[in-house]
């Protein structure tokens, strides 16, 4: 069965039965029988214990009911519990898994299209060219300014319209243009666009795109200039080279014919791109490389070389919020030495190049790079980092207050589940002690930051106690007769019986100390990572 690799949060039921998301029907049935014996209410005479057992037995039955049904399991793997309660009819028309998946994909696309249709998607760029030499000469600091804006709107499931305009002012001259594009989805693999613009670049044109295969796309564009009547015809072929790399070739026929080859590669840590263009009257090459240092900061180096340009840029940027990023680059080119400031906010961009010197001087160029870099690290240490730390602590406190009742209830449920596991867990532990096998001496699960504080200072134990939970007992219960313990990957550990989530919304880890064969071991593992112990590399 295919599992949605992007949906680990939808796998709590696998944790309840302590099986892998890839488990077979027989493995699920076996796990259900095991846990049903542990939590069956008839095993307990005490009324309080019977009530606790009943609550946990219902969790076991619910997990088994869903995971043992092929259709329900597939819905759960793709959409989670929300998919099971969405009102989908699992009648005779959806007997085959392929048909069910197709129906679910239709539902997903329909919801995405409805969401898209309800919103306009604006984008725009403001470019402001400043010049320090001209300012010092008394000619003013502004060299020129350009503005562009575009709005996309989904008219229907198949039709999209985009309208935009741009304005450009350069010293004593300027101009403006307006454009409109209508896009129609012909089928799931092809589309056609009609475009037109008036003003500086008055053109009319048509463009069609078609997916040739799963990895290849072709685009043909025909455009005619309203100013001089010239015609341009371009063909672009795009190919997915790998999971992270994309390549393209573009052939342009017209007054300025050219051929261009481009390449892009992007993953979690870096992004790189390059382009080489050779034309009848010019040529050019460009490349860009960005490296992510953390979830919020990145560095960038870019360069351009051609018949009319020579330029190198070095710098970096920082993410201010979920939608905002600021970037600063220092560049050297034919025009001189310059800084470039960029602010990206959603689909909006503000770009401010500042020309510092028309003369290229190596000492001045080094200074132009080191000054803003030093200033950034100074501000980061004295202003930015303290501000974000204070903001993060305030958010964590608000989240803690908001979820306190939920966490309190979850802790009580975990304690009740551990009470039912206690006798068997102690017997297993004593047996492992006798044979010098695997014994979990200490295990805590919870906030990654809290566990780090506990490790750095024992005095922080009381402060961090509310963000972690002791899970030594349930882990000793999970040790098998062979003296091994396995926690499956891709499954959130808070769903394991006897566990709970002590800090919703925070990244979590599991810290464990154990003994095996008279030796001491310790391990720290991520919330969704697989764990198999004992292992030699855990030895202290």
């Amino acid at each position: 069965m295919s599992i949605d690799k992007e949906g680990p949060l939808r796998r709590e039921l696998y944790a309840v039965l302590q099986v892998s998301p890839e488990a077979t029907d027989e493995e699920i049935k076996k796990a259900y029988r095991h846990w049903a014996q542990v939590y069956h209410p008839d095993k307990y005479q005490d009324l309080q214990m019977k009530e606790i057992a009943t609550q946990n037995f219902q969790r076991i039955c619910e997990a088994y009911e869903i995971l043992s049904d092929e259709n329900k399991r597939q819905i759960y793997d793709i959409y989670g519990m929300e998919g099971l309660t969405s009102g989908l009819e699992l009648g005779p028309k959806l007997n085959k898994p392929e048909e069910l998946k197709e129906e679910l994909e239709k539902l997903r696309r329909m919801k995405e299209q409805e969401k898209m249709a309800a919103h306009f998607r604006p984008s725009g760029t403001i470019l402001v060219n400043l010049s320090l030499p001209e300012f010092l000469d008394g000619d003013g600091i502004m060299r020129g300014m350009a503005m562009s804006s575009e709005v996309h709107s989904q008219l229907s499931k198949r039709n999209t319209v985009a309208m935009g305009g741009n304005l450009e002012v350069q010293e004593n001259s300027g101009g403006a243009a307006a454009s409109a594009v209508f896009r129609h989805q012909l089928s799931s693999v092809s589309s056609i666009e009609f475009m037109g613009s008036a003003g500086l670049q008055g053109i009319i044109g048509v463009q069609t795109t078609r997916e040739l295969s799963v990895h290849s796309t072709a685009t043909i564009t025909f455009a005619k200039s309203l100013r001089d009547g010239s015609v341009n015809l371009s063909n672009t072929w795009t190919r997915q080279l790998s999971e992270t790399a994309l390549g393209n070739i573009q052939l342009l026929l017209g007054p300025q014919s050219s051929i261009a080859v481009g390449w892009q590669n992007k993953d979690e840590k870096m992004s790189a791109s390059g382009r080489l263009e050779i034309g009848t009257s010019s040529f050019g090459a460009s490349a860009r490389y960005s490296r992510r240092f953390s979830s919020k900061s990145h560095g960038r180096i870019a360069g351009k070389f051609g018949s009319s340009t020579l330029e190198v840029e070095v710098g970096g940027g920082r993410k201010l919020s979920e939608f905002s990023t600021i970037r600063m680059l220092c560049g050297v080119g034919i025009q001189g030495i310059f800084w470039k400031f960029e602010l990206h906010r959603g689909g909006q961009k503000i770009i401010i190049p500042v020309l510092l010197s028309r003369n290229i001087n190596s000492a001045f160029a080094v200074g132009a790079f080191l000054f803003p870099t030093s200033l950034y690290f100074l501000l980061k240490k004295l202003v930015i980092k303290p501000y974000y730390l204070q903001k993060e602590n305030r958010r964590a406190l608000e989240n803690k207050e908001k979820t306190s009742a939920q966490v309190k209830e979850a802790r009580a449920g975990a304690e009740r589940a551990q009470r039912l596991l206690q006798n068997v867990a102690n017997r297993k532990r004593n047996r492992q002690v006798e044979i010098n096998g695997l014994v979990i001496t200490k295990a805590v699960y919870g906030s990654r930051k809290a566990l780090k504080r506990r490790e750095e200072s024992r005095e922080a134990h009381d402060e961090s106690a509310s963000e972690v939970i002791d899970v030594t007992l349930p882990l000793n219960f999970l040790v098998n007769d062979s003296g091994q313990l396995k926690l499956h990957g891709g499954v959130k550990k808070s769903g394991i019986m006897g566990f709970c989530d002590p800090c919703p919304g925070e990244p979590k880890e599991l810290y464990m100390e154990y003994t095996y064969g008279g030796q001491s071991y310790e391990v720290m593992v991520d919330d969704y990572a697989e764990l198999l112990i004992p292992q030699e590399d855990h030895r202290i």
Side-chain angles (χ1 to χ4, degrees):
M1 174 176 290
S2 175
I3 301 296
D4 179 10
K5 300 300 181 185
E6 297 179 357
L9 293 176
R10 305 186 182 114
R11 297 181 182 176
E12 291 88 345
L13 298 186
Y14 292 100
V16 171
L17 294 181
Q18 191 52 26
V19 295
S20 165
E22 306 289 346
T24 64
D25 293 341
E26 187 60 34
E27 289 171 335
I28 291 174
K29 186 179 295 185
K30 182 179 179 180
Y32 166 70
R33 289 172 179 170
H34 168 74
W35 287 105
Q37 290 177 0
V38 174
Y39 288 108
H40 201 288
D42 292 346
K43 292 186 61 178
Y44 304 92
Q45 299 299 323
D46 182 81
L47 292 179
Q48 185 180 10
M49 296 295 286
K50 185 183 286 289
E51 181 180 352
I52 295 172
T54 300
Q55 295 173 357
N56 288 278
F57 184 70
Q58 289 173 349
R59 289 183 65 196
I60 298 298
C61 291
E62 179 189 30
Y64 177 69
E65 178 189 358
I66 293 172
L67 298 183
S68 62
D69 185 295
E70 186 176 16
N71 287 348
K72 289 184 179 180
R73 183 179 178 183
Q74 191 165 24
I75 294 176
Y76 177 74
D77 286 341
I78 301 174
Y79 297 101
M81 293 300 295
E82 184 180 357
L84 293 168
T85 59
S86 63
L88 285 173
E89 296 181 4
L90 304 179
K93 293 183 179 179
L94 298 177
N95 282 331
K96 297 180 180 179
E98 295 80 8
E99 296 174 350
L100 172 62
K101 190 169 184 178
E102 182 180 354
E103 189 69 20
L104 291 171
E105 288 300 317
K106 286 182 180 179
L107 176 64
R108 181 184 63 81
R109 287 197 299 267
M110 183 177 68
K111 288 183 177 181
E112 289 180 352
Q113 290 169 347
E114 288 176 353
K115 184 179 180 180
M116 189 182 298
H119 298 85
F120 285 98
R121 291 172 294 160
S123 61
T125 300
I126 298 177
L127 175 65
V128 181
N129 279 300
L130 306 180
S131 174
L132 185 60
E134 291 185 11
F135 175 73
L136 296 177
D137 291 341
D139 296 330
I141 195 170
M142 183 79 73
R143 299 174 61 197
M145 184 174 182
M147 300 176 63
S148 64
S149 181
E150 190 173 50
V151 176
H152 292 255
S153 178
Q154 192 83 20
L155 301 179
S156 64
K157 294 179 180 180
R158 291 178 175 271
N159 299 319
T160 305
V161 65
M163 302 187 68
N166 61 71
L167 174 66
E168 182 177 350
V169 177
Q170 190 73 26
E171 295 182 351
N172 297 324
S173 63
S179 63
V181 178
F182 176 78
R183 184 175 186 269
H184 176 67
Q185 192 74 31
L186 298 173
S187 67
S188 59
V189 296
S190 62
S191 64
I192 187 170
E193 295 183 5
F194 300 94
M195 61 193 76
S197 68
L200 287 174
Q201 297 178 346
I203 62 169
I204 56 173
V206 60
Q207 175 176 291
T208 180
T209 301
R210 182 174 180 83
E211 294 181 15
L212 304 178
S213 66
V214 178
H215 303 291
S216 302
T217 303
T219 300
I220 299 176
T221 305
F222 173 87
K224 181 177 180 179
S225 172
L226 299 179
R227 175 173 295 181
D228 57 16
S230 61
V231 175
N232 283 284
L233 177 65
S234 70
N235 290 346
T236 303
W237 296 271
T238 303
R239 173 78 179 179
Q240 190 79 34
L241 304 176
S242 67
E243 291 184 0
T244 60
L246 190 73
N248 64 79
I249 299 176
Q250 183 183 55
L251 176 63
L252 175 63
L253 300 176
Q256 299 292 330
S257 298
S258 65
I259 183 170
V261 179
W263 168 80
Q264 296 177 358
N265 190 5
K266 184 177 182 180
D267 57 30
E268 294 181 355
K269 293 293 184 180
M270 57 78 69
S271 65
S273 63
R275 180 179 172 86
L276 174 63
E277 182 175 356
I278 301 175
T280 54
S281 59
S282 64
F283 72 93
S286 63
R288 184 180 66 187
Y289 176 82
S290 297
R291 182 73 180 182
R292 188 176 296 277
F293 302 128
S294 68
S295 60
K296 292 184 178 179
S297 61
H298 67 273
R300 170 173 291 185
I301 181 170
K304 298 178 182 178
F305 170 76
S307 54
S308 60
T309 182
L310 177 60
E311 185 176 287
V312 177
E313 296 178 347
V314 180
R318 185 173 181 86
K319 194 172 184 179
L320 302 178
S321 66
E322 184 179 357
F323 303 104
S324 301
T325 300
I326 190 170
R327 184 179 299 129
M328 191 273 180
L329 302 167
C330 179
V332 178
I334 294 176
Q335 62 174 330
I337 302 171
F338 61 92
W339 285 339
K340 183 187 289 185
F341 300 93
E342 299 180 9
L343 174 62
H344 297 247
R345 171 71 179 176
Q348 311 296 323
K349 292 188 292 185
I350 298 177
I351 302 174
I352 306 177
V354 181
L355 181 63
L356 302 177
S357 172
R358 296 191 183 93
N359 301 317
I360 300 178
N361 180 282
S362 58
F364 189 87
V366 172
F369 173 74
L370 292 179
F371 175 74
T373 304
S374 303
L375 181 61
Y376 166 74
F377 283 109
L378 187 65
L379 290 174
K380 179 182 177 180
K381 183 177 181 179
L382 299 179
V383 181
I384 299 175
K385 194 170 183 178
Y387 169 76
Y388 278 103
L389 185 61
Q390 183 182 15
K391 183 178 179 181
E392 188 174 333
N393 291 336
R394 185 169 62 249
R395 182 192 63 80
L397 181 61
E398 292 174 352
N399 182 64
K400 188 175 181 180
E401 294 175 353
K402 183 179 179 180
T403 60
S404 59
Q406 173 189 341
V407 171
K408 184 178 180 180
E409 183 180 350
R411 281 183 176 273
E415 291 173 1
R416 291 194 295 267
Q418 289 191 22
R419 288 176 60 186
L420 298 180
L421 301 175
Q422 187 170 3
N423 291 336
V424 177
N426 288 338
R427 285 201 302 269
K428 284 189 172 185
R429 187 181 189 278
N430 293 336
R431 172 60 179 163
Q432 292 297 319
V433 171
E434 291 175 2
I435 64 175
N436 210 17
L438 176 61
V439 178
I440 313 299
T441 56
K442 177 183 178 181
V444 286
Y445 168 76
S447 166
R448 181 181 299 166
K449 292 181 179 179
L451 291 176
K452 187 176 181 180
R453 290 198 300 268
R454 287 165 66 101
E455 184 179 356
E456 292 175 349
S457 173
R458 297 298 177 184
E459 298 177 359
H461 181 275
D462 294 337
E463 179 186 350
S464 305
S466 62
E467 299 175 80
V468 300
I469 179 174
D470 190 312
V471 291
T472 308
L473 190 146
L475 289 180
N476 274 307
F477 176 86
L478 292 175
V479 175
N480 61 28
D481 296 336
S482 302
Q484 289 185 323
L485 170 64
K486 181 177 182 179
L487 302 181
H488 299 286
V491 178
K492 191 177 181 181
K493 293 176 176 56
S494 60
I496 298 173
M497 302 300 285
F499 281 56
C500 75
D501 188 344
C503 49
E506 298 292 329
K508 286 168 280 291
E509 289 186 342
L510 170 66
Y511 172 75
M512 188 187 306
E513 296 176 4
Y514 64 94
T515 60
Y516 182 78
Q519 300 291 331
S520 297
Y521 300 78
E522 69 174 354
V523 61
M524 181 88 79
V525 64
D526 187 72
D527 198 9
Y528 293 100
E530 181 181 85
L531 175 65
L532 178 63
I533 61 172
Q535 289 191 33
E536 187 63 26
D537 57 354
H538 296 163
R539 182 184 294 186
I540 299 176

